[in-house]
Every structure is written in structure tokens, then in C-alpha cells.
Amino acid sequence: MAFSDRVFSGIQPSGDLHLGNYLGAIKRFVPLQNTHDCIYCVVDMHAITVWQDPKKLHRSTLEVAAAYLAAGIDPKKSIIFNQSQVVEHTELAWVFNCVARMGWMSRMTQFKDKAGKNSEKVSLGLFAYPALMAADILLYKATHVPVGDDQKQHLELTRDIAAKFNNDFKIDFFPITEPLIAGSAARIMSLRDGSKKMSSSDPSDLSRISLTDDADRIAKKIKKAKSDPEPLPSEEAGLKDRPEADNLVGIFASLSGRSKQDILSEFGGQGFGVFKPALAELAVEKLAPMNKEMARYLDDPKQIEDILRDGAERASIIAKENMKQVRDIIGFVK
Ligand code: TYM
């Protein structure tokens, strides 16, 4: 069966949105609206796999939606909604809990990283999380999923779940989804340690640029970012074994929409004393308008709630239809 092109992606409302979320995901969501039918979700049910303060969860959900809107996602053209308003996500997730194998789930590196030595104490939801993510995508039969590199393994699992369901029931029902992971923004690293991914759970606020940081904080964080004493190379190969330099050049490249080689042709031979101020200026220029727009949307939470409700109603139409077919395929009596 030919599946028509549909994009789905989601972001957890579980803390500060940062530059990695913006460059690896949100910024890339926007142009896809010109070529695809797009659904962008605030995945609040994923967020509760670890404890969330109810007031903060509510606020963070509005913040992620505000970031979508401020970045240029058009809520009339695309669907923007929060996951918990479309109950079929959990229903399909249960079906997928019964399709996915324990061995597959046990190999998920993000679970191992998050649970650490504490795996007896974390929630069952955290373990089952990738089956819910597969349900998010396949509930809409999405064919393309733009994400950062850290989600690659979850998307491979989504493909395995779709293939096993199709095979078990001898039907070509779910598409084998293509991940869209590319470019210098696929993995933005911590500003304090080039071997660690930029993340909202890093205890150091200096490790990340938050989308709510003002111009002064952005400039301060870039000034304090870890670098090395060598000048920048003129060729990309010279970034090898220089993770912090590689990361800062990658951030410059993705903020400006240019290639790393192009940046090195301009800055090769210069030290960080020249490069960092240029990067700070660029980051402020690109992020300040987004920051202002987010604040403007957040001034009117009711408007955001209306957009999410309208999005959920439109998403529900697709979800209900597909879930009805899943129930028939499985043999549930209606
Ligand atoms: P989450 O909320 O951790 O991150 C949201 C998006 O931001 C990307 N990202 C990064 N990209 C580059 N560099 C980084 N340092 C960086 N940090 C985060 C993530 O790859 C992601 O694209 N499981 C998902 C949410 C989810 C989802 C889905 C995504 C739930 N259902 C269905 C796609 C489709 C997550 O926790 O992302």
C-alpha cells in the first residue's frame, strides 16, 4: 500500500527548552509544512514517566506550544496539540506493549542512561516509553519523523513494531517510518563538555542555552563555553578530536544555515577570542525574535489552550478512524 506523506514529531514538556531542541527539532519542523501534512505534538504523557509538578507541567506544555508557534508553525496549516487530549495514544500504546518484545525494550540505551543504577525504582512508564512513542507516530500513519540523533534508536523500534504488527496480522497497515535526522544540528553538545549532549537535565545551567534566555545570558554562556587554546582549523578534518570546537562551529553552522566548511573558510586561523563574540552575536540575532514571540504568546495562555484544543479535535478525527481499524484487525468485538 502507498502511504501518503505525513510528518509527526513531538517534544516533552519536561523543563527548559534549549538550543538542542530548537536546532535539532523545532527549526526543522517549520519548512516541512511546505511539503508535508504535519502534526506536531506536545508529549505530556511522556513527560510524566518521571515526576512532574502539576503546575510546572501545565506551564511547560504551554511553553512548548508557544515555541512551536513562535518558530513559525502555522496552527491552521499544521496540527499542534498536546498528547493527553487524544486518548487513542494510550490505547495504541497498550497494543504495542503487546507487540514489542521485552528484549527489544531492554536494549533501549536512553532507558539505561535515564534509569542508571536505579532501574528497580523508576516507573514502569519509563521502560514502556518507546512503545508510546511508536504509538504517537503510527496512530497517524506518519511516514517521516524529524528528530535529533538521540531518538534514532526509538525510531528503529517504531519500524520494528510496525513491521511485526503488519507481519503478525498479515496486513500492510502501518508504514515503515523514515527518520529525518541530518546535518550539524543532529546532536548539539553541552557547552561545558563536548562529549555530552546538551540536555535540560544537566545540573549546570551554563551547559545549555535556553530558549527563554535573554541576550545577556546567551552572550555570557557562549563566552564561558569550554573551548581549547588552538586557533580554528581551515578544514573540517581539523575538528577531529576537538569536540568543543566542533560543537561551537556546528552551532554557528546550523544557526546561520551554512555548512561547517563554509564557517571554517571564514574563521580558519582565528582563535576563540574572535569566534565566540561572532557566535554570540549570531545566536542573539537568531534567538531574540523567537524569545520575544514566545513571551508574547505566553502572555495569552487562553489563546494557546484554544489552539491546542482545536489541534486535538483535528488529530482525534484521524486517530479515531485508524484506531477503529486497529480494533477490527485485532478482532476486538465492537
Ligand atoms: P525530547 O523532548 O527529549 O527532545 C525533543 C527533540 O529535541 C531533540 N534534541 C536534540 N537535538 C539535537 N541536539 C540535542 N542536544 C538535542 N536534545 C534534544 C530530540 O532529538 C527531539 O527531536 N521521545 C522524544 C519525544 C517524542 C517523540 C514522539 C518524537 C515522543 N513521541 C514521536 C518524535 C515522534 C523525546 O523525548 O524528545
Side-chain angles (χ1 to χ4, degrees):
M1 192 203 290
F3 293 95
S4 55
D5 277 5
R6 176 173 284 151
V7 163
F8 182 98
S9 199
I11 294 189
Q12 292 195 62
S14 54
D16 263 358
L17 280 172
H18 55 73
L19 189 64
N21 299 131
Y22 177 64
L23 294 176
I26 303 172
K27 184 171 180 251
R28 299 173 52 233
F29 294 172
V30 183
L32 286 166
Q33 296 180 108
N34 300 327
T35 46
H36 292 73
D37 165 15
C38 296
I39 306 181
Y40 296 122
C41 186
V42 187
V43 289
D44 48 7
M45 288 192 297
H46 277 89
I48 65 162
T49 54
V50 297
W51 168 251
Q52 301 293 333
D53 174 84
K55 280 206 183 74
K56 282 199 194 133
L57 178 65
H58 191 274
R59 173 75 186 175
S60 300
T61 302
L62 298 183
E63 269 175 19
V64 176
Y68 285 166
L69 295 163
I73 296 168
D74 176 351
K76 294 212 171 67
K77 200 168 184 185
S78 303
I79 294 180
I80 299 180
F81 76 109
N82 60 311
Q83 188 185 25
S84 61
Q85 292 206 61
V86 180
V87 291
E88 285 77 10
H89 285 251
T90 37
E91 187 179 356
L92 188 58
W94 179 257
V95 173
F96 288 169
N97 282 344
C98 302
V99 173
R101 305 291 91 182
M102 286 294 283
W104 302 357
M105 305 298 279
S106 313
R107 282 193 282 278
M108 294 294 115
T109 52
Q110 205 165 69
F111 174 76
K112 289 189 218 167
D113 291 348
K114 282 198 176 171
K117 292 194 188 76
N118 221 7
S119 63
E120 292 282 309
K121 297 244 169 74
V122 295
S123 73
L124 180 57
L126 193 68
F127 185 73
Y129 171 121
L132 177 60
M133 179 162 162
D136 300 337
I137 297 165
L138 296 173
L139 186 55
Y140 303 96
K141 296 193 176 180
T143 51
H144 296 86
V145 181
V147 280
D149 184 62
D150 60 342
Q151 297 302 316
K152 201 169 169 187
Q153 198 187 27
H154 291 159
L155 289 181
E156 279 158 14
L157 182 92
T158 301
R159 292 162 65 95
D160 289 344
I161 289 177
K164 186 169 188 309
F165 181 97
N166 289 349
N167 193 45
D168 286 351
F169 293 100
K170 311 263 171 300
I171 186 169
D172 192 14
F173 186 71
F174 288 122
I176 306 301
T177 305
E178 289 294 330
L180 300 175
I181 305 171
S184 45
R187 200 171 184 84
I188 303 291
M189 309 308 275
S190 154
L191 297 180
R192 306 298 296 164
D193 177 351
S195 67
K196 273 176 32 193
K197 158 185 101 147
M198 185 178 284
S199 152
S200 57
S201 55
D202 193 312
S204 166
D205 185 49
L206 288 176
S207 71
R208 62 185 161 264
I209 292 174
S210 298
L211 295 189
T212 47
D213 282 343
D214 61 19
D216 284 351
R217 279 200 74 68
I218 295 174
K220 180 178 159 210
K221 286 177 177 178
I222 291 177
K223 191 167 163 217
K224 291 199 170 242
K226 191 171 167 203
S227 55
D228 60 39
E230 302 296 319
L232 283 170
S234 302
E235 302 295 328
E236 244 186 288
L239 290 172
K240 194 171 166 282
D241 301 325
R242 294 179 65 186
E244 284 82 17
D246 189 17
N247 188 37
L248 294 177
V249 171
I251 292 174
F252 199 118
S254 34
L255 278 172
S256 59
R258 292 161 61 190
S259 68
K260 280 195 200 173
Q261 184 52 56
D262 203 18
I263 309 305
L264 293 177
S265 304
E266 184 182 339
F267 288 96
Q270 311 260 33
F272 286 95
V274 173
F275 185 67
K276 278 185 176 177
L279 177 58
E281 195 182 324
L282 174 68
V284 169
E285 179 199 316
K286 297 288 175 186
L287 299 177
M290 165 98 187
N291 178 315
K292 223 170 121 195
E293 265 301 277
M294 268 179 81
R296 195 178 65 76
Y297 277 109
L298 287 165
D299 263 352
D300 186 359
K302 163 114 185 10
Q303 185 198 357
I304 305 179
E305 284 165 11
D306 288 347
I307 288 172
L308 291 174
R309 199 171 314 109
D310 172 68
E313 278 167 17
R314 285 154 58 208
S316 285
I317 296 172
I318 308 168
K320 279 194 174 28
E321 176 53 36
N322 285 337
M323 204 55 226
K324 193 164 134 268
Q325 291 184 41
V326 170
R327 283 187 220 113
D328 283 346
I329 293 167
I330 294 175
F332 288 153
V333 173
K334 40 182 184 210

